[in-house]
Amino acid sequence: MSESSYAMVAVDEAQTIVLGQTQPLTPQAVKLADALGMVLAEPVVARDPLPPFPASVKDGYAVVAADGPGEYRVVGEATAGRVAAFTVTPGAVAYITTGAPVPAGADAVVMVEETERLPDMDGEARVRIRQQVRPGDDIRPLGVDVAAGETVLEAGAQLGPAEIGLLATVGAAEVRVHPRPRAALLSTGDELVEADEPLAPGQIRDSNRPTLAAAVTALGGVVVDLGIGRDVKADLEERIHRGLATADVLVTTGGVSMGDLDLIKPLLEERGKVHFGRIRMKPGKPLTFATVEVDGRNRLLFGLPGNPVSGLVTFYLFVAPALRKLAGHRDPHLPRIQAVLAQPLRLDAYRPEYHRATLVWDANLHGGKGGYLARSTGSQASSRLLSMRTANALLELPQAEGELPAGAVVSALWIGEML
Ligand code: AMP
Ligand code: MG
């Protein structure tokens, strides 16, 4: 076999190249209901205070604190959603519910558990107050949760459930966010058929496109399906052209090795600028990255290896950070955590390896401090998608002779929940 003409690039160097070619997508306004997982492009400031009025923390009685315990007449009821028309004067109290505006004149609330309803007298409700309270007790002052003018979310914040709630609280029904990146997916290979098609001799089902579509969706991206391309230049060209017209990122799988029908590398060279075509990593060595300018914008093209595991591992290492940067994440890298090996692992003398593992929290590790225990998913053959089943981390095994013993501490890239 002839040697690849591409220099072998280290993983971190390759990631730097990819991210250097990637710019966050131009912000646009979206409705709050569509914003889950997206990244804010500008800070959001509260216009009004929360609560917008002094509000009761409890169900009970609004009182004048200086009055102290004793029997009082109840001048009215202050309930949530209404501003009471009456005033509480010394010697009187008002019934109040949680969240209701505290009526004028009252300066504290006594919770209902510290009171006792008495029989009405002269048609007037009466109550015994048993507790001495201080001014301000059980009242949320104006703006105590959110002050007017306070920045509730900074640019770069990712919108999860709490952030969505905050936006609703401050009345931001539409927000400026970075759009969801669009990723066009193309499987290549004469042997591939769709999952619902019968297998003819020599054929296998395409697993890469469903896998990567799920990964793109899990990352908050939008999938553009380019189908299965045949190992024919014209077919691949047409599909790649279509992808570039509609997507920010084009991801192909297969056809990047050294075989005669491996057409992707030459196609990417023709179509754009190839930044690298070989990576020092296991699995995933033939990963190819190119850029092409379409309508004045840089599109990213990733030629992932065809083997299902190589494809998904290189997706996590290179495509995922690119998608995250496009989506506006300030730190696009996957989270890195530490894990303790449950069993010895053999190292590769020539390439760093991304070993698929399932991490579980083990309270006994590190002398009882606890930590993640990493169990290998078994045979790491790059064709064996079962080696990714239940994997929530890629162990970063160094390139070296020999093996790491059980109990060794390694760094790992988290590929569990990705949002
Ligand atoms: P290639 O990089 O095209 O030489 O493919 C490498 C290996 O991955 C071959 O065994 C292919 O049959 C297999 N392969 C390529 N694409 C896919 C796919 N979309 N789904 C499953 N296996 C694939
Ligand atoms: Mg192929």
Side-chain angles (χ1 to χ4, degrees):
M1 201 169 84
S2 62
E3 255 302 287
S4 166
S5 56
Y6 290 99
M8 191 91 106
V9 180
V11 168
D12 53 355
E13 194 187 327
Q15 284 173 332
T16 304
I17 292 172
V18 169
L19 293 176
Q21 293 294 325
T22 309
Q23 293 312 321
L25 296 173
T26 308
Q28 64 181 32
V30 303
K31 292 206 163 42
L32 208 43
D34 301 322
L36 179 64
M38 298 180 95
V39 176
L40 266 188
E42 61 189 18
V44 172
V45 175
R47 277 166 300 182
D48 340 288
L50 182 75
F53 44 81
S56 179
V57 177
K58 302 270 170 65
D59 293 321
Y61 289 86
V63 303
V64 177
D67 279 353
E71 288 182 22
Y72 293 92
R73 90 199 144 78
V74 182
V75 293
E77 298 193 344
T79 52
R82 284 169 207 85
V83 176
F86 54 81
T87 297
V88 176
T89 49
V93 302
Y95 178 71
I96 194 164
T97 62
T98 305
V102 174
D107 63 2
V109 169
V110 177
M111 64 177 169
V112 73
E113 292 87 338
E114 295 295 339
T115 69
E116 186 186 329
R117 197 71 188 236
L118 301 172
D120 290 2
M121 203 189 273
D122 305 329
E124 243 184 7
R126 296 183 65 77
V127 68
R128 174 173 297 124
I129 303 290
R130 290 201 295 252
Q131 192 184 29
Q132 175 67 58
V133 288
R134 290 158 305 173
D137 277 2
D138 277 337
I139 292 177
R140 284 156 65 220
L142 177 91
V144 70
D145 294 333
V146 181
E150 183 172 347
T151 300
V152 293
L153 290 170
E154 301 284 357
Q158 188 180 19
L159 304 178
E163 290 75 19
I164 300 277
L166 267 174
L167 292 169
T169 287
V170 304
E174 251 189 25
V175 284
R176 284 187 77 71
V177 294
H178 297 278
R180 300 183 187 281
R182 298 170 62 81
L185 304 179
L186 172 63
S187 288
T188 74
D190 286 342
E191 73 279 33
L192 302 176
V193 298
E194 301 282 358
D196 59 358
E197 285 172 356
L199 284 183
Q203 295 184 325
I204 60 167
R205 298 186 186 94
D206 173 11
S207 64
N208 287 346
R209 229 165 8 111
T211 301
L212 297 180
V216 167
T217 307
L219 278 161
V222 175
V223 173
V224 177
D225 189 357
L226 298 177
I228 298 172
R230 298 303 157 199
D231 291 322
V232 180
K233 194 176 171 203
D235 184 34
L236 299 178
E237 236 166 14
E238 186 274 319
R239 289 172 196 266
I240 288 176
H241 186 72
R242 181 145 46 97
L244 287 175
T246 49
D248 307 300
V249 177
L250 192 141
V251 183
T252 67
T253 62
V256 285
S257 316
M258 295 292 292
D260 288 345
L261 291 181
D262 290 332
L263 300 167
I264 291 293
K265 275 186 164 89
L267 250 172
L268 296 186
E269 277 163 10
E270 245 178 66
R271 210 57 184 76
K273 175 171 167 29
V274 173
H275 297 269
F276 54 80
R278 231 168 24 134
I279 306 255
R280 180 170 291 107
M281 67 181 286
K282 184 182 173 183
K285 189 168 72 172
L287 171 71
T288 302
F289 172 65
T291 50
V292 51
E293 202 164 300
V294 182
D295 301 334
R297 259 204 17 243
N298 217 18
R299 307 295 159 101
L300 313 176
L301 291 81
F302 294 89
L304 309 189
N307 265 316
V309 174
S310 315
L312 188 51
V313 168
T314 50
F315 177 91
Y316 282 130
L317 280 167
F318 301 98
V319 187
L323 291 175
R324 283 171 54 80
K325 185 162 180 189
L326 288 167
H329 288 278
R330 300 306 200 254
D331 178 6
H333 294 282
L334 297 186
R336 202 177 245 121
I337 52 181
Q338 229 179 35
V340 174
L341 297 185
Q343 70 251 81
L345 291 181
R346 177 150 295 286
L347 301 173
D348 187 290
Y350 304 101
R351 289 179 285 166
E353 183 175 1
Y354 293 82
H355 191 108
R356 284 78 74 194
T358 308
L359 269 47
V360 289
W361 183 257
D362 181 339
N364 297 319
L365 286 179
H366 301 304
K369 285 206 291 263
Y372 281 106
L373 186 68
R375 278 185 219 290
S376 169
T377 52
S379 161
Q380 299 286 297
S382 61
S383 57
R384 185 175 172 264
L385 197 49
L386 283 173
S387 77
M388 301 253 8
R389 177 179 58 183
T390 75
N392 55 10
L394 301 172
L395 307 181
E396 301 180 291
L397 302 184
Q399 165 190 352
E401 304 276 353
E403 64 174 34
L404 284 177
V409 174
V410 298
S411 66
L413 295 170
W414 181 253
I415 58 167
E417 307 89 57
M418 294 289 296
L419 274 181

